[in-house]
């Protein structure tokens, strides 16, 4: 039978693609031929028809030139008019001949051309040449007679009519050819679609045929594999492939893999069975019998013998312990020495023997019908710790396969350990029997002693454990008692100290504020009277002094009130007066109080009030208004551009927290003041709500403030049963939100308020707080100097005042100007340095310490260091008169130091000393 030709998948795919490519190539050739024919016909229409029309127009133009030249010459007599006539007369026949030649395939049109030619020649002979000749002869009378009849016009009309007819015929002919071309183009298009359909159909047929030839074969392989998989480990099935391609190779390889797996499974299964079958056997003879029976069943052996090593006087002897299918006569030897026979040789060389050429004299294998000669002998030594402890001989009616030999070898690898273990157990059992007899007597004697000892030991152990537990409990109780006593004393001491500190601070703030209010009251009254100037005795400058004094006094009064409020809140002496408050008027009040501030800072003020806000709530209106004003003042203070938005709404029921629900109230209000200002870092959220704390509390802060505003607002909110939360982002703005209940049933338990405040504080911890409310610095009071001595010392001296407070600048500038000094001002350290670099030298500098952007300390250091002005007198002025401020100013470079509020006599005295020196 001839070998089937191999036709691989690659060859199938390549042939399929080749057939498709050939079809596409044939289609391309046919299509290209049709397109070329179509292109030729198109070119013929373009070239032939356009040329015909062009020549027709040129002939007609020549005739028109002849007629125009003839008439021009007859009218004017100028010979120049004959040039176009003569030129056209010599050229129209050339174009005529070319046109006639183009119409070789159209006799009808050639016939019409011949008629046109005759008409042209008739016009030339009848109207062209005769009139020109008459004009040349100057025969005017005959010319007049000629043109009265004018036969040339009739010729020209005939010629134009003939040309029109000729062109119409050509136009129809062009349209006919174009129509034929369109029909041919349509046929080509239909043929192209048909060809495309044909090629596609062939491609699909080839694809289906190839895919079926591949897929069907793969399906057969897949189904066979699935059947094998579904057989739950049965690997008898094999893959049958009819095709002679790569899939057949895959099937053969899979069959080989299945066979290998099947053999491995058989090997592993029998190996596992052989390893487990001799567990629990305690004697060598039973182990040998069990092993021979199992291994003969696995390998198909028909005869077997098991020899185990024993030691005697002659040395190591291998004695037969068991046999499989042995005859009654027990043919064969019962023992072997090492090196004796194949058994002894296998033990000596420690290797396996497989003998297939068996002599006729070898022992026969007996059966019920007779004796059979074996075909193969398999002798395997059993090793333990590289020593042969047993030898196994197997005989079979068939030759031992490599798989059967491998199974036997793998079983033998661990069988030596098993034999040694059984031998050891047998020896141990023997020794155990001997020792049991010796220990039985000793055991009987010791039992009584053991019983007594155990009873005494148990009693002693119980007493020891009880004693240890009592000692440990006593020690723990003493330690805990000592720790609790120490913690109690520590807490009592700290509580006492905190109580004293709070009391001292509150008493100090209350007493100090009270003492300040007494003289301030007179200042405000007198300054207001001076400001009114009822008697008209004060100049404009004096009225301005009075206004500044009054304004500064009011600012100081506001600061004192804040300190008093904080003191009262912390000492628990602030009264809360609950009454009805009209919420519908709140937007108008905010608009009246802050619209001018918004216009001044060019910041948009937005007020939003929700419809569900009740018209009347119960709270302390004065404290409520103070909270809202402080929050709005903060917002405008820290907002340079953008907007400040006030949102008033009722807190919906689903937003109420557990703590808010425990408070007895009609409703909860939410008043949010949002700005687009600078924002506050997250780490200063809690800081700004503490008294005398600020977000920019350094001496170089850009925005002023005492740090009391938000602390007072927070305490007022708690007194009214609410709290203030904060949400802020640096550079984008801040939102302070006041949550306030309507207390129609009176004041509430403040422990609940504190709990609610802590709950909300945790929920808004991620917000960024804004800075506190406005700060009122202590301005320098303008006082008329009492000393006018040594005016020549101050006359024409250039003095630079560096201060960020306009009131202080105004007071100092006015007082110094009256001494004849030239005054320049700067608002911070940066402006001071710029003026000193760009202006004439100054004789003296009055330097404030606490200023924005660059404080007085840094400015004085730069004047002494960078500008090298070590001799320029600098007098430091500051309202912060702390213990070490004088030394700090002198170290920074100040010549002298005066604290605010200023005594002008003292100031003039110090200035005089430094100006004279």
């Amino acid at each position: 039978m001839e070998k089937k030709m191999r036709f691989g998948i690659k060859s199938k795919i390549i042939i399929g693609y080749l057939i498709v490519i050939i079809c596409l190539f044939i289609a391309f050739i046919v299509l290209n031929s049709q397109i070329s024919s179509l292109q030729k016909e198109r070119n013929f229409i373009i070239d032939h028809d356009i040329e015909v029309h062009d020549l027709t127009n040129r002939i007609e133009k020549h005739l028109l030139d002849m007629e125009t030249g003839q008439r021009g010459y007859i009218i004017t007599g100028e010979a120049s008019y004959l040039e176009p006539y003569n030129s056209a007369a010599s050229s129209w026949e050339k174009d005529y001949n070319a046109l006639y030649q183009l119409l070789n395939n159209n006799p009808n049109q050639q016939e019409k051309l011949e008629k046109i030619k005759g008409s042209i020649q008739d016009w030339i002979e009848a109207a062209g040449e005769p009139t020109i000749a008459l004009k040349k002869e100057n025969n005017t009378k005959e010319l007049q007679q000629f043109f009265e009849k004018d036969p040339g016009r009739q010729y020209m009309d005939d010629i134009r009519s003939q040309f029109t007819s000729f062109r119409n015929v050509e136009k129809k002919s062009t349209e006919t050819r174009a129509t034929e071309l369109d029909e041919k183009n349509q046929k080509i298009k239909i043929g192209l679609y048909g060809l495309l359909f044909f090629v596609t159909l062939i491609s699909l047929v080839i694809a289906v045929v190839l895919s079926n030839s591949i897929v069907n074969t793969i399906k057969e392989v897949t189904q066979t594999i699935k059947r094998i998989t579904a057989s739950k480990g049965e690997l008898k099935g094999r893959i049958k492939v009819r095709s002679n391609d790569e899939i057949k190779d895959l099937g053969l390889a899979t069959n080989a893999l299945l066979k290998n797996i099947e053999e491995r499974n058989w090997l592993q299964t029998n190996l596992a069975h052989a390893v487990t079958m001799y567990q629990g056997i305690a004697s060598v003879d039973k182990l040998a019998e069990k092993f021979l029976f199992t291994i003969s069943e696995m390998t198909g052996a028909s005869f077997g013998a098991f020899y185990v090593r024993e030691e005697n006087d002659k040395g190591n002897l291998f004695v037969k312990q068991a046999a499989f299918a042995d005859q009654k006569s027990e043919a064969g030897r019962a023992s072997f020495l090492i090196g004796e026979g194949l058994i002894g040789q296998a033990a000596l060389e420690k290797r396996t023997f497989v003998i297939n050429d068996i002599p006729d004299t070898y022992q026969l294998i007996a059966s019920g019908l007779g004796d059979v000669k074996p075909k193969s002998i398999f002798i395997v030594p059993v090793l333990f710790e590289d020593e042969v402890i047993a030898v196994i001989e197997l005989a079979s009616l068939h030759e031992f396969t490599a798989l059967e030999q491998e199974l036997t070898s793998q079983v033998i690898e661990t069988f030596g350990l098993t034999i040694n273990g059984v031998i050891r157990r047998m020896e141990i059992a023997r020794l155990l029997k001997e020792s049991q007899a010796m220990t039985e007597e000793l055991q009987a004697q010791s039992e009584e002693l053991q019983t007594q000892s155990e009873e005494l030991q148990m009693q002693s152990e119980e007493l020891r454990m009880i004693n240890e537990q009592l000692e440990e409990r006593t020690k723990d109780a003493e330690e805990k008692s000592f720790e609790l006593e120490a913690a109690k004393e520590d807490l009592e001491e700290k509580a006492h100290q905190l109580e004293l500190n709070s009391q001292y601070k509150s008493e100090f703030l209350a007493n100090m504020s009270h003492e300040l209010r007494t003289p301030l009251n007179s200042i405000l009254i007198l300054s207001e009277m001076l400001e009114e100037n009822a008697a008209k005795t004060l100049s404009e400058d004096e009225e301005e002094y009075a206004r500044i004094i009054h304004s500064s006094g009011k600012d100081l009064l506001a600061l004192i009130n804040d300190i008093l409020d904080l003191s009262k809140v912390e000492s628990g002496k602030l009264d809360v007066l609950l009454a009805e408050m009209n919420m519908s008027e709140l937007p108008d009040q905010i608009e009246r109080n802050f619209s001018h501030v918004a216009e001044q800072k060019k910041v948009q003020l937005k007020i939003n009030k929700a419809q569900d806000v009740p018209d009347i709530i119960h709270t302390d209106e004065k404290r409520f208004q103070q909270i809202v004003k402080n929050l709005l003042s903060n917002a405008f203070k820290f907002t340079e551009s953008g907007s400040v938005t006030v949102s008033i709404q009722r807190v919906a029921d689903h937003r109420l927290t557990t703590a808010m629900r425990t408070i007895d109230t009609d409703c909860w209000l939410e008043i949010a003041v949002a700005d687009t200002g600078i924002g506050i870092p997250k780490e200063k959220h809690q800081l700004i709500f503490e008294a005398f704390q600020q977000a920019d509390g350094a001496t170089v802060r850009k925005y002023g403030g005492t740090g009391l505003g938000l602390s007072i607002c927070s305490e007022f909110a708690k007194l009214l049963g609410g709290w203030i939360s904060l949400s802020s982002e640096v550079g984008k703005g801040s939102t302070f939100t006041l949550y306030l209940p309507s207390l129609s049933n009176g004041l509430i338990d403040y422990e609940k308020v504190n709990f609610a405040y802590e709950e909300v504080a945790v929920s808004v911890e991620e917000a960024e707080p804004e800075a506190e409310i406005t700060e009122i610095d202590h301005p320098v009071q303008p006082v008329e100097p009492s000393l006018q001595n040594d005016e020549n010392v101050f006359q024409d001296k250039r003095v630079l005042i560096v201060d960020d407070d306009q009131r202080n600048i105004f007071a100092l500038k006015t007082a110094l100007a009256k001494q004849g000094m030239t005054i320049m001002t700067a608002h911070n350290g940066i402006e001071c340095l710029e003026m000193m670099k760009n202006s004439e030298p100054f004789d003296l500098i009055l330097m404030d310490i606490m200023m924005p952007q660059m404080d007085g300390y840094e400015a004085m250091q730069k004047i002494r260091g960078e500008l090298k002005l070590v001799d320029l007198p600098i007098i430091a002025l500051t309202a912060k008169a702390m213990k070490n401020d004088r030394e700090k100013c002198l170290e920074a470079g100040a010549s002298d130091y005066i604290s605010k509020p200023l005594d002008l006599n003292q100031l003039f005295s110090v200035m005089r000393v430094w100006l004279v020196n």
Side-chain angles (χ1 to χ4, degrees), residues 263-280:
E263 292 178 350
R264 288 297 170 188
N265 287 343
W266 179 84
L267 183 64
Q268 294 297 330
T269 302
N270 289 328
L271 181 61
H273 176 66
V275 170
T276 58
M277 60 90 186
Y278 44 72
Q279 292 180 355

mmCIF file of all heavy atoms in Angstrom, residues 263-280:
data_model
loop_
_atom_site.group_PDB
_atom_site.id
_atom_site.type_symbol
_atom_site.label_atom_id
_atom_site.label_comp_id
_atom_site.label_asym_id
_atom_site.label_seq_id
_atom_site.Cartn_x
_atom_site.Cartn_y
_atom_site.Cartn_z
ATOM 1 N N GLU A 263 1.187 4.398 31.703
ATOM 2 C CA GLU A 263 2.224 3.566 32.323
ATOM 3 C C GLU A 263 2.650 4.154 33.663
ATOM 4 O O GLU A 263 2.857 3.426 34.634
ATOM 5 C CB GLU A 263 3.429 3.446 31.378
ATOM 6 C CG GLU A 263 3.125 2.637 30.123
ATOM 7 C CD GLU A 263 4.324 2.589 29.178
ATOM 8 O OE1 GLU A 263 5.298 3.347 29.437
ATOM 9 O OE2 GLU A 263 4.283 1.830 28.190
ATOM 10 N N ARG A 264 2.778 5.508 33.693
ATOM 11 C CA ARG A 264 3.185 6.137 34.946
ATOM 12 C C ARG A 264 2.116 5.946 36.032
ATOM 13 O O ARG A 264 2.431 5.705 37.204
ATOM 14 C CB ARG A 264 3.430 7.635 34.717
ATOM 15 C CG ARG A 264 4.695 7.926 33.921
ATOM 16 C CD ARG A 264 5.911 7.456 34.672
ATOM 17 N NE ARG A 264 7.099 7.519 33.830
ATOM 18 C CZ ARG A 264 8.289 7.030 34.174
ATOM 19 N NH1 ARG A 264 8.407 6.409 35.359
ATOM 20 N NH2 ARG A 264 9.317 7.125 33.372
ATOM 21 N N ASN A 265 0.867 6.071 35.625
ATOM 22 C CA ASN A 265 -0.220 5.855 36.591
ATOM 23 C C ASN A 265 -0.196 4.425 37.116
ATOM 24 O O ASN A 265 -0.380 4.173 38.321
ATOM 25 C CB ASN A 265 -1.570 6.153 35.940
ATOM 26 C CG ASN A 265 -1.788 7.637 35.741
ATOM 27 O OD1 ASN A 265 -1.107 8.458 36.338
ATOM 28 N ND2 ASN A 265 -2.743 8.000 34.896
ATOM 29 N N TRP A 266 0.007 3.489 36.195
ATOM 30 C CA TRP A 266 0.086 2.075 36.614
ATOM 31 C C TRP A 266 1.249 1.873 37.571
ATOM 32 O O TRP A 266 1.125 1.194 38.594
ATOM 33 C CB TRP A 266 0.269 1.204 35.370
ATOM 34 C CG TRP A 266 0.386 -0.260 35.681
ATOM 35 C CD1 TRP A 266 -0.617 -1.154 35.874
ATOM 36 C CD2 TRP A 266 1.614 -0.985 35.839
ATOM 37 N NE1 TRP A 266 -0.121 -2.389 36.137
ATOM 38 C CE2 TRP A 266 1.280 -2.316 36.134
ATOM 39 C CE3 TRP A 266 2.956 -0.645 35.753
ATOM 40 C CZ2 TRP A 266 2.226 -3.304 36.340
ATOM 41 C CZ3 TRP A 266 3.909 -1.621 35.969
ATOM 42 C CH2 TRP A 266 3.531 -2.934 36.262
ATOM 43 N N LEU A 267 2.384 2.532 37.224
ATOM 44 C CA LEU A 267 3.573 2.393 38.066
ATOM 45 C C LEU A 267 3.335 3.006 39.445
ATOM 46 O O LEU A 267 3.630 2.379 40.480
ATOM 47 C CB LEU A 267 4.760 3.071 37.373
ATOM 48 C CG LEU A 267 6.113 2.960 38.077
ATOM 49 C CD1 LEU A 267 6.565 1.507 38.132
ATOM 50 C CD2 LEU A 267 7.155 3.806 37.339
ATOM 51 N N GLN A 268 2.766 4.208 39.486
ATOM 52 C CA GLN A 268 2.545 4.884 40.765
ATOM 53 C C GLN A 268 1.503 4.150 41.605
ATOM 54 O O GLN A 268 1.640 4.041 42.832
ATOM 55 C CB GLN A 268 2.083 6.343 40.517
ATOM 56 C CG GLN A 268 3.135 7.223 39.864
ATOM 57 C CD GLN A 268 4.368 7.402 40.738
ATOM 58 O OE1 GLN A 268 4.276 7.375 41.959
ATOM 59 N NE2 GLN A 268 5.529 7.543 40.084
ATOM 60 N N THR A 269 0.439 3.649 40.911
ATOM 61 C CA THR A 269 -0.617 2.929 41.651
ATOM 62 C C THR A 269 -0.073 1.666 42.300
ATOM 63 O O THR A 269 -0.297 1.404 43.499
ATOM 64 C CB THR A 269 -1.768 2.579 40.705
ATOM 65 O OG1 THR A 269 -2.280 3.792 40.133
ATOM 66 C CG2 THR A 269 -2.886 1.875 41.462
ATOM 67 N N ASN A 270 0.675 0.867 41.521
ATOM 68 C CA ASN A 270 1.230 -0.382 42.056
ATOM 69 C C ASN A 270 2.289 -0.100 43.110
ATOM 70 O O ASN A 270 2.409 -0.834 44.105
ATOM 71 C CB ASN A 270 1.826 -1.219 40.931
ATOM 72 C CG ASN A 270 0.743 -1.791 40.030
ATOM 73 O OD1 ASN A 270 -0.363 -2.096 40.489
ATOM 74 N ND2 ASN A 270 1.034 -1.944 38.750
ATOM 75 N N LEU A 271 3.064 1.007 42.885
ATOM 76 C CA LEU A 271 4.099 1.337 43.851
ATOM 77 C C LEU A 271 3.456 1.727 45.188
ATOM 78 O O LEU A 271 3.914 1.293 46.264
ATOM 79 C CB LEU A 271 4.949 2.494 43.314
ATOM 80 C CG LEU A 271 6.110 2.957 44.205
ATOM 81 C CD1 LEU A 271 7.103 1.817 44.423
ATOM 82 C CD2 LEU A 271 6.822 4.149 43.573
ATOM 83 N N ALA A 272 2.399 2.525 45.117
ATOM 84 C CA ALA A 272 1.712 2.917 46.352
ATOM 85 C C ALA A 272 1.100 1.705 47.043
ATOM 86 O O ALA A 272 1.143 1.582 48.284
ATOM 87 C CB ALA A 272 0.633 3.956 46.043
ATOM 88 N N HIS A 273 0.533 0.789 46.236
ATOM 89 C CA HIS A 273 -0.059 -0.415 46.816
ATOM 90 C C HIS A 273 0.998 -1.294 47.464
ATOM 91 O O HIS A 273 0.796 -1.831 48.575
ATOM 92 C CB HIS A 273 -0.790 -1.190 45.725
ATOM 93 C CG HIS A 273 -1.345 -2.502 46.199
ATOM 94 N ND1 HIS A 273 -2.357 -2.591 47.133
ATOM 95 C CD2 HIS A 273 -1.009 -3.796 45.862
ATOM 96 C CE1 HIS A 273 -2.635 -3.859 47.359
ATOM 97 N NE2 HIS A 273 -1.824 -4.625 46.602
ATOM 98 N N ALA A 274 2.161 -1.424 46.788
ATOM 99 C CA ALA A 274 3.226 -2.272 47.323
ATOM 100 C C ALA A 274 3.799 -1.694 48.601
ATOM 101 O O ALA A 274 4.171 -2.433 49.524
ATOM 102 C CB ALA A 274 4.333 -2.429 46.279
ATOM 103 N N VAL A 275 3.876 -0.349 48.675
ATOM 104 C CA VAL A 275 4.448 0.276 49.865
ATOM 105 C C VAL A 275 3.526 0.099 51.068
ATOM 106 O O VAL A 275 3.976 -0.086 52.199
ATOM 107 C CB VAL A 275 4.730 1.770 49.589
ATOM 108 C CG1 VAL A 275 5.098 2.494 50.890
ATOM 109 C CG2 VAL A 275 5.865 1.915 48.583
ATOM 110 N N THR A 276 2.207 0.155 50.820
ATOM 111 C CA THR A 276 1.256 0.091 51.944
ATOM 112 C C THR A 276 0.871 -1.328 52.342
ATOM 113 O O THR A 276 0.346 -1.545 53.442
ATOM 114 C CB THR A 276 -0.025 0.859 51.583
ATOM 115 O OG1 THR A 276 -0.591 0.300 50.384
ATOM 116 C CG2 THR A 276 0.277 2.335 51.351
ATOM 117 N N MET A 277 1.151 -2.295 51.488
ATOM 118 C CA MET A 277 0.610 -3.639 51.760
ATOM 119 C C MET A 277 1.349 -4.342 52.895
ATOM 120 O O MET A 277 0.806 -5.232 53.528
ATOM 121 C CB MET A 277 0.660 -4.497 50.476
ATOM 122 C CG MET A 277 2.025 -4.711 49.891
ATOM 123 S SD MET A 277 2.834 -6.172 50.543
ATOM 124 C CE MET A 277 4.455 -6.046 49.827
ATOM 125 N N TYR A 278 2.613 -3.945 53.189
ATOM 126 C CA TYR A 278 3.333 -4.663 54.243
ATOM 127 C C TYR A 278 3.403 -3.873 55.536
ATOM 128 O O TYR A 278 4.262 -4.126 56.389
ATOM 129 C CB TYR A 278 4.747 -5.047 53.782
ATOM 130 C CG TYR A 278 5.512 -3.960 53.045
ATOM 131 C CD1 TYR A 278 6.015 -2.851 53.731
ATOM 132 C CD2 TYR A 278 5.731 -4.065 51.693
ATOM 133 C CE1 TYR A 278 6.710 -1.879 53.058
ATOM 134 C CE2 TYR A 278 6.429 -3.078 51.015
ATOM 135 C CZ TYR A 278 6.920 -1.988 51.696
ATOM 136 O OH TYR A 278 7.612 -1.027 51.027
ATOM 137 N N GLN A 279 2.529 -2.902 55.697
ATOM 138 C CA GLN A 279 2.490 -2.187 56.962
ATOM 139 C C GLN A 279 1.808 -3.058 58.031
ATOM 140 O O GLN A 279 0.814 -3.722 57.766
ATOM 141 C CB GLN A 279 1.729 -0.862 56.802
ATOM 142 C CG GLN A 279 2.460 0.142 55.915
ATOM 143 C CD GLN A 279 1.687 1.449 55.782
ATOM 144 O OE1 GLN A 279 0.581 1.557 56.275
ATOM 145 N NE2 GLN A 279 2.294 2.411 55.105
ATOM 146 N N GLY A 280 2.364 -3.008 59.220
ATOM 147 C CA GLY A 280 1.789 -3.772 60.335
ATOM 148 C C GLY A 280 2.274 -5.210 60.430
ATOM 149 O O GLY A 280 1.836 -5.950 61.314
#
